[in-house]
Structures are given as C-alpha cells and as structure tokens.
Amino acid sequence: MRVSVFGLGYVGCVSAACLAGMGHEVIGVDVNPVKVDLVNDGKAPVVEERIGELIAEVVRTGALRATGDVREAIMGSEVSLVCVGTPSEPNGSLCTTYLERVTEQIGAALAEGAGQGGRHTVVFRSTMLPGTCMNLLVPILEKYVGGTAGVDFGVAVNPEFLREGTSVRDFFDPPKTVIGELDPVSGDAVAALYDGVPGEVFRVPVPTAEAIKYADNAFHGLKIGFANELGAVCQALGVDSHQVMDVFLADRKLNISPAYLRPGFAFGGSCLPKDLRSLVHAAQRADVSVPILAHVLPSNSDHLQRAVELVERTGKRRVGLFGLSFKPGTDDLRESPLVELAEKLFGKGYDLRIHDANVSLSRLLGANREYIETRLPHLAQLLADSVEEVLDHAEVVLVGTRDPAVLSALPHGDGPLIVDLVRLPDAEARRTEPGYMGLAW
C-alpha cells in the first residue's frame, strides 16, 4: 500500500520504517526539515534499537522517503497515519493543537483533489482521549474536505503499543492490534497495513480504541506503583520483596489473570477490607508512604456511592435490592458492600425491600449475626420472602446478584427502573431501554 506517516518522532519514525520494511511504499512527513533530511539521507532522527539499520535499508531500496509537503504526501498515498504528539497542558489536560493542525492540513489537501486514486483513509495513531476523534477531528476533516467521513473518506483510530527501546521488536510482534473503525471499509484499509503481523486483531468502535491505550498505560503505571509500594513495606518489615513477588507472580489463577478486572460493584467480605487496613496501618507505623494502597478502600467507597447517587437521580422513594451477602452462594454479610448500600439507602429514608435467597435472619449465627445487628438492625422488616414481593413494591430495583430466579423475573420496558450492579447477562440489549442504568458501563 501507499502510506503517508505524519510526525517523525518515535512512533512515526518507527511506524514509517517498519511499514516500509513490510513492503509498503511510505512517505514520512514532518515540519522539522532536519528530520526530513535525516530520513532522506538514510539516517534515523531518533535513537532506538535496530531503527538506524532499518531506515538505511528501506531508504536505499526506495521504500521510504520524507517530505515537508503535506499535499505531496497525500497525493502519493492512499492511507495516512497521524503520529504527531499529544503532550500534557500545564493543567494536565490533553494538548490537541498538533492533532488539529495536521488534520486541517490533511483535510485541505484532500479538498484540493489530492489522493484521487480512490477513497483516502485517515488513521489517527496518536494517543487521544475517547471522543477526540469523533467530536473534534472528524468535524475538522469534514469541514475542510467538504464531504462526509465514512463516505467520501475513511477514518480510523489505530493506537500504538510501542515501548521506547524495543519499539521495532514491538511493531513486528505486538501484544495486539487495535483498529477503531468508523466504518468497515476504513477498518479494512488499516487491517491491510498489518497483514502478516502476528497477534490478535480487535476491530472496535472508534471511542473504544481511544480508551484502550489509556487503560493499558494506567494499568502499567498502577502495577509499577503497586510493586514499589509493596516493596517499600516489605523492606520496612524485614521481608525480601522479590521473594514475595516471585510467589505472587506464580499465581496465574487470581493474580496475573483476568480475575477481578471486570467493572462491577464494590468489593467487601471478611478478608480484603481487613487486610488492606492492616497493611496500610503497618506501613504508617513504619513511616512508609503508600498512597496507592492507602486509597484502595476510599476508591471502593466512592464506587459504592455511585450506586446511591444513581438511585437519588431517579427521584423515586420505593427501592428494591436483590442480593445482600458479599458473595453469591453464601450468607456471609460481614463487610458486604450490599449491606453498606442498604444501610445508606435506609439511612436516607428510602422505603427499602431486600431479597437474597441465601439470607434468612433466623439462620444467621455468631459474628455474621452480630455484624448485621450492628450495621442494619432493621433487617427483619426489610427482608422480602420472594422476588415478586420486591418487584411489586419497588419503583427502582438495584440488582446485586445473578440469581437465576431474579434474572428471569426482571421486566423489560414496563416496571421499575433497574440499576445494574453486576452487569446482567443481557445488559447490552437493556442499555437501549430507558429504564436501565448500568453502574460502570
């Protein structure tokens, strides 16, 4: 394919060289004439493993050249990759100045008739927040081109997963390829660029592709911070942190796995809250600052509060709650987030009814009974014997369980408003219904 790459920094330079190495005909574009001259001389404008030899080779064969002329680049290509920087503004917001500028230039070049060999596809590879492409960049293109995105020209988002220092290796062996497509034809153009590259390909809506890069980088930062904080606590307590982490990493069932990584309701139970409090307290006693670990429980409380706020926004007063124990299939109420949710709603004066098939006041014993009598002493008057009793009572229903009896009874359309705390199996279909609210989806 004939490809133009806008921006010859790390991402653009590596993308241009690697695409040329795959057999594409590539034109690199940059406002900096020094970078343009370096590339045309077969030299890399960045320091990176393998990039120097690769650029020398693809320039020698004629597969890669560079220019400062946007119109020339658009005229000589069918796909444009936008790889310009999106730095932080002083207040932390995303700077889109360079993105907007190059989008205007590409749109103006397309309006002049450049790239008339067929429908041109503009692919944004720069990191940008969800909504940037559809709400900011597509309108710019449509304004300058005088046409409609997805009809007169293609648009896609193709985030990169290149680590400085190993970016050439990462390009040819990526963890995944993500294509956010405005329409299938746009997605096909991007997919053709990477034909032969290993790894799973995800073709998703444009905002999803934009969000994935942030999910990745936020998690990478979180992992590093977690390991460092835990290491500092271990050191203060006289424990070998690397030995701890070796065992931690060996657990592929719960630790290094998809476990716990689906948005849902707050966590609770007799272990997680207690152990987090103990660890943070031990760190404080040892004068070790652990801001990540110290904010896990406050973050959990904030997430629970989101459920309360969803109910408040409805303006309704009769509320039903399905689920009460901290985990399905048990009657353990100790530090259950659903108990705390019920406590908050009852304390705010809501007319509440609760049903959990596993919870019977007469069967609660020991610490379990003591806990509920302390936190929710009025439970007896709130418990309903059946799913139907809750549905008949409630104007708003919070679903905190996947009990089949509850799922089969939940109405569609008519009936109480539904606040989904667990992402119901049919959540995707329900999201189009006016009476459905998902907690974090």
Side-chain angles (χ1 to χ4, degrees), residues 51-291:
I51 195 66
E53 304 94 307
L54 183 56
I55 285 185
E57 174 63 19
V58 293
V59 169
R60 184 186 63 77
T61 61
L64 173 64
R65 63 186 177 88
T67 181
D69 188 327
V70 172
R71 190 177 185 282
E72 175 194 350
I74 294 295
M75 184 176 292
S77 61
E78 56 200 300
V79 176
S80 294
L81 261 60
V82 177
C83 303
V84 299
T86 50
S88 291
E89 296 283 16
N91 66 355
S93 64
L94 188 74
C95 174
T96 60
T97 301
Y98 307 113
L99 267 176
E100 293 174 61
R101 187 178 303 156
V102 76
T103 302
E104 291 170 357
Q105 293 170 341
I106 291 171
L110 288 172
E112 290 178 23
Q116 286 185 342
R119 195 180 88 156
H120 198 93
T121 302
V122 183
V123 183
F124 295 98
R125 201 150 162 80
S126 304
T127 300
M128 52 190 182
L129 289 164
T132 304
C133 182
M134 298 305 299
N135 299 334
L136 177 64
L137 303 179
V138 165
I140 291 174
L141 283 170
E142 290 182 333
K143 173 186 173 183
Y144 277 81
V145 174
T148 303
V151 178
D152 301 298
F153 58 90
V155 172
V157 168
N158 173 223
E160 47 82 20
F161 306 100
L162 309 175
R163 297 167 295 173
E164 289 189 26
T166 60
S167 56
V168 174
R169 270 185 286 158
D170 290 344
F171 186 97
F172 289 119
D173 187 18
K176 56 186 174 286
T177 297
V178 177
I179 302 169
E181 54 189 34
L182 182 65
D183 62 288
V185 177
S186 297
D188 290 343
V190 182
L193 286 176
Y194 301 107
D195 187 34
V197 172
E200 194 168 358
V201 177
F202 297 90
R203 295 179 63 161
V204 297
V206 165
T208 302
E210 291 170 307
I212 285 167
K213 182 61 183 288
Y214 284 93
D216 281 23
N217 282 351
F219 190 51
H220 298 163
L222 180 63
K223 287 201 293 185
I224 293 166
F226 168 77
N228 288 341
E229 284 193 7
L230 194 67
V233 175
C234 286
Q235 182 187 46
L237 300 179
V239 178
D240 184 340
S241 63
H242 278 249
Q243 198 172 63
V244 171
M245 293 307 290
D246 284 343
V247 179
F248 173 87
L249 293 168
D251 182 345
R252 296 289 198 268
K253 188 174 183 179
L254 299 180
N255 293 346
I256 311 304
S257 75
Y260 309 125
L261 282 173
R262 294 287 185 186
F265 193 43
F267 64 79
S270 59
C271 295
L272 265 59
K274 170 182 70 72
D275 293 347
L276 273 164
R277 286 189 207 102
S278 298
L279 184 62
V280 171
H281 181 68
Q284 290 169 343
R285 286 188 62 187
D287 289 328
V288 176
S289 174
V290 286

Side-chain angles (χ1 to χ4, degrees), residues 19-42:
L19 287 169
M22 292 175 63
H24 300 295
E25 182 183 323
V26 183
I27 306 171
V29 189
D30 204 284
V31 295
N32 188 335
V34 175
K35 290 185 179 181
V36 171
D37 291 342
L38 280 170
V39 170
N40 285 331
D41 288 340

